[in-house]
């Protein structure tokens, strides 16, 4: 099955509203002819409506970096799926390793967030990945297995059609040290088989599995050549419009 590649930029806690608009305008202008890649930008919450307005009617869409699992309520400082939709978001990143590490998100919370996203009409991008210690101990597959089965517990394949999975080895995020093509290939193949085992062959074939962790113009072609890699979740290299555009326009003739 042919899956439309996706290149997503996670801007984390960078850029004010005007800076976000400026970069988003440059990316959408440079990519206005791109029809074969799903392009997504995830700015800070406060910039969502601004960026959504900037990229309207262009091939770029907008996502959020997090959401709360309740639909509404007395949860000071949190944000709901409905609010994100109203702000123009189509996707939402869930369970990023920085959220798991610094904000103590557990697989159970991730699962509730996936549920909130899907019931609110957002497409979740579920981030999973092992730490360096887990890899060194030979626990990579075990870790991913748990993150996928606990994070997606209770869902049926028909509910997960819009799910995107992002494999982001924690040791490769923001370090400049991308996983090797061989490591990525091995994990992505494993994830595809895991999805098939837990859900169905059809769902495993339909879901896009992105790679994230020090993706840059210099390594995107090699990554995109790997059969089970359907795109990239890009942090640092998505902050600069020219660099991000080079990644979006990877060489897909190979
Ligand atoms: P990086 O971040 O590209 O800066 O390594 C990736 C991510 O956190 O999604």
């Amino acid at each position: 099955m042919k899956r439309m590649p996706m290149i997503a930029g996670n801007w984390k806690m960078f850029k004010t509203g005007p800076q976000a608009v400026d970069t988003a305008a440059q990316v959408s202008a440079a990519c206005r002819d791109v029809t074969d890649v799903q392009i997504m930008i995830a700015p800070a919450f406060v910039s969502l409506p601004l960026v959504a307005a900037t990229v309207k009617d262009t091939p770029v869409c907008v996502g959020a970096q997090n959401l709360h699992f309740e639909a509404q309520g007395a949860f000071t400082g949190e944000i709901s799926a409905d609010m994100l939709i109203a702000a123009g978001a189509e996707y939402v990143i869930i369970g990023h390793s920085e959220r798991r590490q610094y904000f103590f998100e557990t697989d159970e919370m991730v699962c509730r967030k996936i549920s909130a996203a899907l019931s609110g009409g957002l497409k979740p991008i579920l981030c999973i990945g092992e730490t360096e210690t887990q890899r060194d101990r030979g626990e990579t597959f075990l870790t991913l297995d748990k993150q996928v089965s606990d994070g997606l517990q209770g869902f049926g394949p028909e509910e997960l059609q819009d799910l995107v999975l992002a494999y982001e080895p924690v040791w490769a995020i923001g370090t400049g040290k991308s996983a090797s093509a061989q490591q990525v290939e091995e994990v992505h193949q494993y994830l595809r088989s895991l999805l098939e085992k837990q859900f169905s062959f059809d769902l495993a074939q339909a879901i896009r599995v992105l790679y994230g962790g020090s993706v840059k113009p210099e390594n995107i072609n090699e990554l995109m050549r790997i059969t089970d890699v359907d795109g990239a979740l890009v942090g640092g290299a998505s902050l600069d419009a020219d660099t991000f555009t080079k990644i979006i326009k990877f060489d897909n003739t190979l």
Side-chain angles (χ1 to χ4, degrees), residues 129-141 143-144 167 169-172 177 179-180 182-188 211:
E130 81 287 1
T131 61
E132 190 151 40
T133 315
Q134 287 165 330
R135 178 164 280 270
D136 290 347
R137 285 194 192 138
E139 293 170 359
T140 299
F141 290 164
T143 305
L144 299 171
Y167 168 55
V170 180
W171 48 271
K177 192 170 105 188
S180 72
Q182 201 195 340
Q183 287 169 324
V184 176
E185 180 165 30
E186 184 184 52
V187 169
H188 278 235
Y211 167 77

Side-chain angles (χ1 to χ4, degrees), residues 10 12 96 98 168 172-175 212-215 233-236:
N10 172 11
K12 308 191 180 184
H96 189 280
E98 285 149 19
E168 300 205 298
I173 295 178
T175 57
S214 298
V215 174
L233 182 53
V234 189

Side-chain angles (χ1 to χ4, degrees), residues 51-217:
V51 171
T54 307
V55 302
K56 194 168 184 290
D57 300 324
T58 78
V60 181
C61 72
V62 171
Q65 300 173 18
N66 182 29
L67 88 168
H68 190 62
F69 43 73
E70 294 292 349
Q72 60 177 14
F75 301 105
T76 301
E78 294 294 327
I79 194 147
S80 72
D82 280 357
M83 293 170 190
L84 296 177
I85 295 266
E90 193 178 321
Y91 287 87
V92 58
I93 298 170
I94 294 178
H96 189 280
S97 66
E98 285 149 19
R99 302 245 19 119
R100 293 177 191 258
Q101 189 180 348
Y102 305 128
F103 303 98
F104 314 109
E105 276 189 18
T106 61
D107 288 324
E108 195 223 332
M109 288 159 77
V110 165
C111 187
R112 293 179 71 184
K113 288 182 178 210
I114 300 267
S115 175
L118 291 172
S119 16
L122 287 163
K123 298 172 185 160
I125 302 180
L126 168 58
C127 299
I128 55 171
E130 81 287 1
T131 61
E132 190 151 40
T133 315
Q134 287 165 330
R135 178 164 280 270
D136 290 347
R137 285 194 192 138
E139 293 170 359
T140 299
F141 290 164
L142 194 75
T143 305
L144 299 171
D145 211 326
K146 183 173 181 324
Q147 288 171 338
V148 170
S149 48
D150 292 358
L152 298 176
Q153 194 170 19
F155 296 103
E158 62 295 336
E159 294 166 284
L160 297 176
Q161 296 297 327
D162 288 330
L163 177 80
V164 177
L165 205 56
Y167 168 55
E168 300 205 298
V170 180
W171 48 271
I173 295 178
T175 57
K177 192 170 105 188
S178 165
S180 72
Q182 201 195 340
Q183 287 169 324
V184 176
E185 180 165 30
E186 184 184 52
V187 169
H188 278 235
Q189 253 173 29
Y190 178 76
L191 292 173
R192 195 82 64 197
S193 65
L194 201 62
L195 290 169
E196 185 177 335
K197 208 166 67 192
Q198 195 174 338
F199 300 102
S200 68
F201 174 80
D202 287 350
L203 187 80
Q205 290 303 308
I207 282 185
R208 282 178 296 194
V209 185
L210 314 183
Y211 167 77
S214 298
V215 174
K216 34 190 180 260

